[in-house]
Amino acid sequence: MKLNIEGLLVYFPYDYIYPEQYSYMLELKRTLDAKGHGVLEMPSGTGKTISLLSLIVAYQKAFPLDVTKLIYCSRTVPEIEKVVEELRKLMEFYAKETGEVNNFLALALSSRKNLCIHPEVSSLRFGKEVDGKCHSLTASYIRAQRHSNPDQPVCRFYEEFDAVGRQVPLPAGIYNLDDLKDFGRRKGWCPYYLARYSILHANIVVYSYHYLLDPKIADLVSKELAKKSVVVFDEAHNIDNVCIDSMSVNITRRTLDRCQSNVETLQHTIQKIKDTDAAKLREEYRRLVEGLKEANVARETDVYLANPVLPDEILQEAVPGSIRTAEHFLGFLRRFLEYLKSRLRVHHVVQESAPQFLKDIFEKVCIDRKPLRFCAERLQSLLRTLEIADIADFSAVTLISNFATLVSTYSLGFTIIIEPFDDRTPTIANPVLHFSCMDPSIAIKPVFQRFQSVVITSGTLSPLDIYPKILDFRPVTMASFTMTLARTCLCPLIVGRGNDQVALSSKFETREDFAVIRNYGNLLLEMSAIVPDGIVAFFTSYVYMENIVASWYEQGILENIQRNKLIFIETQDAAETSMALEKYQEACENGRGAILLSVARGKVSEGIDFVHHFGRAVIMFGVPYVYTQSRILKARLEYLRDQFQIRENDFLTFDAMRHAAQCVGRAIRGKTDYGLMIFADKRYARADKRGKLPRWIQEHISDGSLNLTVDETVQLSKHFLRQMAQPFRQEDQLGLSLLTLEQLQSEDMLKKIAQIAHQA
Amino acid sequence: MASLSEEVLLVVKKVRQRKQDGTLYLMAERIAWGPEGKDRFTVSHPYSDIRCQKISPDGKAKVQLQLVLHTGESTTFHFANESTALKDREAAKELLQQLLPKFKKKANKELEEKNRMLQEDPVLFQLYKDLVVSQVISAEEFWANRLGGLNNSEPAPCSNKQEVGISGAFLADIRPQTDGCNGLRYNLTTDIIESIFRTYPAVKQKYSENVPHSLTEKEFWTRFFQSHYFHRDRINTGTQDIFSECAKQDEKGLMSLVNKGVKNPLVDLLSLEDKTLDEGYGIKQALPSTSNTNKTVKESSNAAIIKRFNHHSAMVLAAGSRKNEVPADQASETSSTDGNSRDSDFFQPPVKKVCVFTVKLQEAIEYEDLQRESKQKTVALNLKKSDRYAHGPVPLQSQKYTTSQDIINAVNCIQHEMAHYKPNLTQVMSSTAASSAIAALSPGGVLMQGGAQQAINQMVPSDIQGELKHLYVAAGELLRHFWSCFPVNTSFLEDKLTGHLEEMLQTAYSKFHIWQTRRMMRKT
């Protein structure tokens, strides 16, 4: 259907539309009009992606000069491919309606592992191996060597692409990962480099967060993306963690040892080059004197995305003389390394700030702040000059130099914690230096600064106001949309007591309590008897799950559950869990029914959907608080309190509730779907917890279902399931949660939609 | 007789059969024996005909090997070479042990098929009894046009049959009972044993290896329950335990399952992440190398329990659907052989996986309720007992609720009428007319005539009906055979027609006659 969103003609590739999709597009258009940032929450399964794509594509077509590019960031590879498929659907609809040939170029970009077509390289299993092997075939100096030595193996796809691929732009169309590979095979071009090159002129790019948020990758891939782009972060509820992860560094003894050998290798190479080709080193020296002016010019003229590891001040200066020659730099690195080694020889935990660290290093080994800041850049230059192909090999020294630059650049937002041993095993010495980022805004700041509109969206972003705070940006729109429902297809229940009135909770004091564990088991047992097909149960952590499973096993509860359903359990091993997951789905599919025991914050809770019969009930055992004894977390909480005035408890609860919401939200993936959401902890009944659940879940929690016993839960669930099992037709939804174009155009309906939207 | 292409696997000389010296040959597809000095086999059995082999006990003077055929006949070979008799026999036995199972499947398939058909179809079974058991026609003839038709035209019903799966809790169902003197008693049924075998092939293998040679069945199961394997306490399994190997095999099985990877990329957690952080970056630190070593005993036993459960569930699931899996496996095998040559693989991407993926993707992005024409996805209902479906639990009566006000009103109304009831005596019937009307309406009366004419099926006792029906069906079957011979265009058909078919019809007729007279006799 064709929609009129405040004067913008939007092609929507379906015959019907959900009211909330309309509101969502309205809000999104306002964000784009204002050229600002937005935070939008809408439940999963209400067609968020297609609404986003429809509106932004329409906007791009209507105002090609204002919005030149859509950068769509998602989290997992399947998600990325889903987005591209939806986009394909939209474009087919455009072609059908307008009769014009599509002139849009949209493509997905993924790591080499998913795009490589080289027969040997692509058969490697791990991403890192693929990357390393690819480097060894495509690095510039390897290719240069080939001129003198034709036996030197190179990648023929890259060669072919390099020879002709850049001259002709990728023809317009929608390219998913497989399409890119097919195209690459036909032409004999490397799909990965083709995609990386093509994102510069593509209208729509779909890739994962890391390409924009991880400075190491962003610098390679996304640096030159146009300023007039709209950036969308989908499934963004964990975006702060992604930011923090990309800026944090851990240094162990092993890292230092490997770094040491890296430095030795560098030393040898330098010596060799000095004997054969001293001019090369002199050339490098000259370049370093001139400084990083080029990069500076580029950034000032707004061609490049800023790199947080490469602060602005550096760009205006030349590399300090003390590390300008290669040998001096190596000497510098050695000193730094020795210093770090000495710091790791501690017997108690040390926590200090970046300035303290700098002061100490100056006092002990006379290393100044300034050369430290140039460390990363200087190493890059050296590696380039020495023509070192396998960057992966030099990961240790790169890590150390990145750490040096970061620690000397940011006096705020980072903390250094040196732990002599793991808390669980105090007898084994395993010193680690954590340099952990506490401020997610550092990594994402360049994105907000550079691109005109950044939209953060997810099914669970509540409470909305916390994201602008921790990411430090000012949104022009913030909205949470609920799911309009013709029938209440979700049933959140809070189980606070067992049948014997024992309070159910996963809090620390009662964690080992047998009565609680037994009652939890009882709940699962009872549910397994009444819920058809699949049940997914989430625990707060692996350790907790293992303990509970063991005691359920001893008490014979699991045996009884097995009478009703098969049991599959998530393990720490991803391959094993994948197998269990597939078997779980198979068991749901063939009617036997199964239970999946899983962990909040685990891979399953983040990336796997349990549509329809794969998840008729989700049980959340306990409140998934993060492990609060960790020093890194404590430091982060302190930082949040001091910098953003967010109270510790508020943040912890927010974090726990967003994960709980993620877990239970896995079961509902659309309006025709239905599922029970059982929160098995009495603490969920409290207003401060409940209030942090997304609106679309919250509004279905009735006062009567706040502190149920197991028996009451079973009764309510039975009732709910029986109701939901009745046939549900399109006509039932029509006019309520599903609108035709005519209905959408009527005054009444528009008023109603506006009313619903403004309850937020 | 032995064609040149036949591969001879084993030759044993000095083997006596029916007191005649000769040589035993084990070929690729059959076993044969020829008397000394002659170049033809007097005994030759395809392996597929052999049901089992039996050997004479070790202590016996004669070293013998007996082959029992499916037909019930048996052939005995006596190994007569004094010095190496035992060794010869062992060699033959071993080889047969390997060969027979391969052919068993082939042979049994047909037999099983027949068996299954008879079991599933009571009418056919009766027919079989009437015609074959009573030797009206031979079994081969009976099956000749049945099996053929079935194999060619409709293999569907046999694949439609669902195998009964295994209860997930079959081990839990074996509740041990104390026997009063410091011991436990487990009650095993064949069902449970079957479940154990199907779920844990390793145990089955152990069973076939050890029972009854080295252990009795009872001992075997006693050990099974004593074993750590059953109790899943995997930390200190003794090496002398015969089941410790099972545990290892299970572990291996699980590993191979894991290594096989998953077909559905949407649940493949390994390829979910696009870019992982490089080593050394990030908040959460994975310590895979150290975490294994410093795990406490309790933790690792917990992990083992979790592993067990995953494995158990996977095996139970696989046991239920093993049949369906076979073709899928074969398909994947063939596709992987395609992939062996690098180049073909390279230009023809593995189509299958891609297909699965795109289908899954399409499913994942589809909003069925947003589309106008929602496709009707229906599953054909396959009813075994349709009457049970049609007359399933029905409410006892149609419930029409009346409100209490209604009831009160009705009662009032009746009260009112009764209070004002006045018999109208001028208009009543005469007593004779009334009594004749009653008589006419009672059973046997004029108006109830219809009821007296009972249907024939109520008059004849059901057993006679049944027998008659069987005779009728049997005769029908014979007639079918008879008519299927026309047009008579081969000599075989002619033979059949003039020869034994006539005879058969004769037999059938006489059979009917006997039955009739017997009935008559009994009646009078």
Side-chain angles (χ1 to χ4, degrees), chain A residues 75-93:
Chain A
R75 268 190 338 186
T76 62
V77 179
E79 290 287 340
I80 288 169
E81 299 201 70
K82 266 191 230 168
V83 173
V84 179
E85 287 310 312
E86 297 215 31
L87 188 63
R88 192 193 307 278
K89 192 166 195 172
L90 177 65
M91 286 307 177
E92 274 163 13
F93 184 70

Side-chain angles (χ1 to χ4, degrees), chain A residues 76-176:
Chain A
T76 62
V77 179
E79 290 287 340
I80 288 169
E81 299 201 70
K82 266 191 230 168
V83 173
V84 179
E85 287 310 312
E86 297 215 31
L87 188 63
R88 192 193 307 278
K89 192 166 195 172
L90 177 65
M91 286 307 177
E92 274 163 13
F93 184 70
Y94 260 99
K96 207 177 86 193
E97 289 290 306
T98 59
E100 289 166 20
V101 183
N102 169 35
N103 55 355
F104 255 52
L105 174 63
L107 68 136
L109 175 63
S110 180
S111 55
R112 288 183 180 84
K113 184 179 159 247
N114 296 322
L115 280 175
C116 184
I117 55 170
H118 190 279
E120 280 162 42
V121 180
S122 61
S123 61
L124 295 171
R125 262 188 91 179
F126 296 101
K128 265 174 207 150
E129 291 171 356
V130 176
D131 288 353
K133 186 88 182 150
C134 183
H135 273 301
S136 72
L137 293 175
T138 57
S140 55
Y141 89 98
I142 294 268
R143 297 174 55 224
Q145 274 179 18
R146 189 177 162 81
H147 290 301
S148 52
N149 173 17
D151 290 339
Q152 180 76 36
V154 291
C155 174
R156 61 182 153 123
F157 300 101
Y158 183 75
E159 295 300 320
E160 190 69 21
F161 166 73
D162 199 47
V164 287
R166 281 185 235 271
Q167 288 144 22
V168 200
L170 193 63
I174 314 293
Y175 295 89
N176 214 335

